[in-house]
Amino acid sequence: MASALVVRLPWWWGLFALVALGFVFFYARLIILPLLFAAAVTIGLGYGSVQLSSRDVYHRLMGLTVQLKGKVKEDISRSSGRVSLQLHTIVIAGVAYPGTVLVTASRAGDIKRGDIAMVTGKVKGGFGSFPIVLSALAIDAIERPVPGDLGRVVRDWFADQVRKVVPEPQASLGIGFLTGQKSALPTDLSDALKIAGLTHIVVASGYNLTILVQLARKFFLRLSRYLSAVSSGTMILLFMAVTGLSPSMSRAGLVSGLSLLSWYYGHKFHPLVLLPFAAAITVACEPSYAWGDLGWQLSFGAFAAVLLVSPLLQRYFFGAKEPGLLRQVLGETIAAHAVTLPIIAVSFGTVSNVAIIANLLVVPLVPLAMLLTFMCGVWAMVHLPLAALVGMPTNWLLGYMVQVTQFVAGLSWAQTSVAVSGWVWLFYAGGLLGVCLWMWRTVRRDENASGTELYEKRRVTAGARGQPRGRGRQRRHQSSHC
């Protein structure tokens, strides 16, 4: 089980760390930063240990066949002929159990997010953030509460409107862009997206949310700053309600909300502050994200790459010049690929060789595809013939994306199997950190040299005009008092 891989500490270690943390704040000196870090890690491990201990009740169920009842937490996924769903608020034999359980079954019927499922199966050891895995033949019973998950109901209703004018699999791809619904994708297209390194554009993530929030903010900013902030905040809440609170979506919603607040009040979060702050909040809500949730780890890895590594690459190779769309996509793709490579390789044993090419060919067109898909759904409710006209370019654009994805994924060299020890990836991470630090020092040195050169140039220019910089300022200062 995942809990065996995590360091457990007695609860009183957390109290000791709180005392040390108070000392750090009382005696604020740079030299005691290591104590601050150690105290924070100790508190986190202590809190996580308490959460892990509460899941030890599953140990007595190992190997038994039980009937379990729970609520479907996220959209179901299909792979290798089996259906996987996550259940929480678990009840077994009338007793409530903590955590989220992964259930795999050959048949699941018409089950959706927010439904109550009853399933009988054999209990196996869990992995990641799942304390156990229940393997079953089929779902015994499905109960759909009324009104149930309203966000999911609205999403499915809107998806049905899009499908009136856009055929499959283009419709499911466009809906995936717009709402993050990946479960409706055909299995072959879903597998092709994984091989091509494009899964991030059809799951609920910060990329989709950022496009929607920026659109709302720019549109309403013409009216007022307050209305722009309120509309953007509403967009964040609605998108999270539609997509569900997956680990990546929780991170994306929190970061977007914090960034929106800082923008409204005229401040700006430094990435080195925003990253650990957002991570601490999400892990405080669900400690299992940090030690075993692959979606959370990939989300924060890609987020760190986009916020820290990609800007560093742009400044190192191109200076202060603002990047265009293609250069920005290229930089972010390379950075995200480099940072998340160890996580993907260790988890799946394969890495994509075509991710950079596929992202350059597809990602710049995603905002347009989202807009056209949204227009198809809206016009399908208002005037179906006009929606069919909008559906033509939508179908062409989404068809191009499908063909590109399937083509690059079908290349013989599209992905490579990787089987190396964890020490190799540890050295890789250290080398990547060293390269980033070296680029950062080089950029800082070049910026300081450029600033000195600009100052000398201005001073020489002022001297050539017969007006020394200091005396000129002094005369202007004196004349202002006259």
Side-chain angles (χ1 to χ4, degrees):
M1 293 178 62
S3 58
L5 303 176
V6 183
V7 177
R8 295 200 186 197
L9 296 177
W11 62 269
W12 51 268
W13 275 67
L15 294 180
F16 175 77
L18 284 174
V19 174
L21 194 62
F23 175 76
V24 168
F25 285 115
F26 179 77
Y27 186 76
R29 296 292 186 274
L30 185 63
I31 195 173
I32 59 175
L33 276 179
L35 179 60
L36 174 62
F37 177 77
V41 171
T42 304
I43 292 174
L45 289 174
Y47 177 60
S49 299
V50 173
Q51 296 293 318
L52 282 171
S53 298
S54 67
R55 301 185 181 192
D56 289 342
V57 293
Y58 285 103
H59 289 172
R60 62 184 180 86
L61 302 176
M62 292 299 170
L64 301 179
T65 299
V66 300
Q67 188 177 58
L68 178 148
K69 182 180 180 181
K71 188 175 184 179
V72 181
K73 185 177 181 180
E74 299 181 15
D75 291 325
I76 65 173
S77 59
R78 295 178 174 85
S79 178
S80 302
R82 292 186 66 83
V83 177
S84 299
L85 56 149
Q86 300 178 25
L87 300 181
H88 65 124
T89 60
I90 306 299
V91 176
I92 302 176
V95 179
Y97 284 76
T100 301
V101 171
L102 180 66
V103 175
T104 63
S106 301
R107 300 185 304 274
D110 183 26
I111 188 167
K112 298 182 179 180
R113 192 184 78 206
D115 291 350
I116 306 297
M118 183 78 73
V119 58
T120 302
K122 187 175 182 179
V123 178
K124 300 179 180 179
F127 62 93
S129 59
F130 304 114
I132 62 172
V133 174
L134 194 74
S135 179
L137 181 63
I139 305 298
D140 299 336
I142 300 173
E143 176 186 345
R144 185 158 296 163
V146 178
D149 192 327
L150 290 176
R152 191 265 306 160
V153 172
V154 172
R155 182 197 65 188
D156 292 347
W157 171 76
F158 187 82
D160 292 337
Q161 306 304 312
V162 174
R163 290 189 175 95
K164 291 180 180 179
V165 293
V166 180
E168 293 289 357
Q170 290 89 319
S172 293
L173 183 62
I175 294 165
F177 290 157
L178 195 60
T179 66
Q181 184 184 11
K182 181 186 172 186
S183 58
L185 290 171
T187 304
D188 57 342
L189 181 57
S190 179
D191 293 339
L193 288 167
K194 292 178 183 179
I195 297 173
L198 291 172
T199 306
H200 65 95
I201 61 177
V202 289
V203 297
S205 65
Y207 181 72
N208 312 69
L209 182 58
T210 299
I211 294 174
L212 295 175
V213 170
Q214 287 182 349
L215 181 64
R217 192 171 72 182
K218 290 180 180 178
F219 181 79
F220 288 99
L221 189 59
R222 305 171 184 175
L223 301 177
S224 72
R225 189 180 184 90
Y226 174 77
L227 185 60
S228 176
V230 170
S231 62
S232 300
T234 303
M235 182 68 73
I236 294 173
L237 295 177
L238 290 177
F239 190 75
M240 293 178 69
V242 167
T243 58
L245 292 179
S246 64
S248 59
M249 194 64 248
S250 301
R251 190 275 308 163
L254 176 62
V255 170
S256 297
L258 292 173
S259 301
L260 182 63
L261 283 175
S262 65
W263 168 81
Y264 179 73
Y265 288 105
H267 299 286
K268 187 176 181 181
F269 271 110
H270 193 282
L272 290 178
V273 175
L274 183 59
L275 271 171
F277 185 65
I281 292 179
T282 54
V283 171
C285 296
E286 182 51 68
S288 64
Y289 285 169
W291 70 66
D293 195 285
L294 181 62
W296 185 90
Q297 295 168 1
L298 288 174
S299 178
F300 266 94
F303 183 49
V306 171
L307 280 186
L308 298 172
V309 182
S310 178
L312 188 60
L313 287 173
Q314 300 288 356
R315 297 299 294 269
Y316 180 80
F317 287 103
F318 302 100
K321 184 180 178 181
E322 288 294 324
L325 178 60
L326 288 179
R327 182 151 62 87
Q328 182 176 353
V329 171
L330 178 61
E332 291 178 354
T333 303
I334 293 175
H337 194 64
V339 173
T340 59
L341 181 62
I343 304 175
I344 294 174
V346 171
S347 302
F348 301 109
T350 59
V351 294
S352 175
N353 299 323
V354 295
I356 296 176
I357 300 174
N359 277 266
L360 284 175
L361 294 175
V362 173
V363 170
L365 299 173
V366 170
L368 178 59
M370 292 174 64
L371 176 62
L372 291 175
T373 304
F374 178 75
M375 291 175 60
C376 285
V378 171
W379 281 109
M381 295 182 288
V382 178
H383 192 267
L384 196 57
L386 184 58
L389 293 177
V390 180
M392 292 176 61
T394 308
N395 186 29
W396 296 335
L397 179 59
L398 294 173
Y400 159 79
M401 293 179 169
V402 170
Q403 292 179 6
V404 168
T405 301
Q406 293 176 340
F407 173 77
V408 297
L411 297 174
S412 59
W413 48 274
Q415 64 178 359
T416 302
S417 297
V418 179
V420 295
S421 65
W423 288 105
V424 174
W425 293 119
L426 185 62
F427 283 117
Y428 172 87
L432 181 61
L433 179 62
V435 170
C436 290
L437 290 175
W438 178 72
M439 288 194 298
W440 176 75
R441 293 192 62 179
T442 303
V443 169
R444 288 290 301 272
R445 185 178 65 248
D446 292 344
E447 288 179 349
N448 292 336
S450 299
T452 303
E453 182 180 352
L454 180 61
Y455 171 77
E456 292 293 336
K457 184 177 180 180
R458 288 177 177 176
R459 187 173 64 84
V460 172
T461 303
R465 292 174 179 172
Q467 184 179 350
R469 195 172 180 82
R471 294 181 180 178
R473 283 181 177 176
Q474 184 179 6
R475 282 197 292 268
R476 285 194 299 271
H477 180 69
Q478 291 174 351
S479 63
S480 66
H481 286 281
C482 294

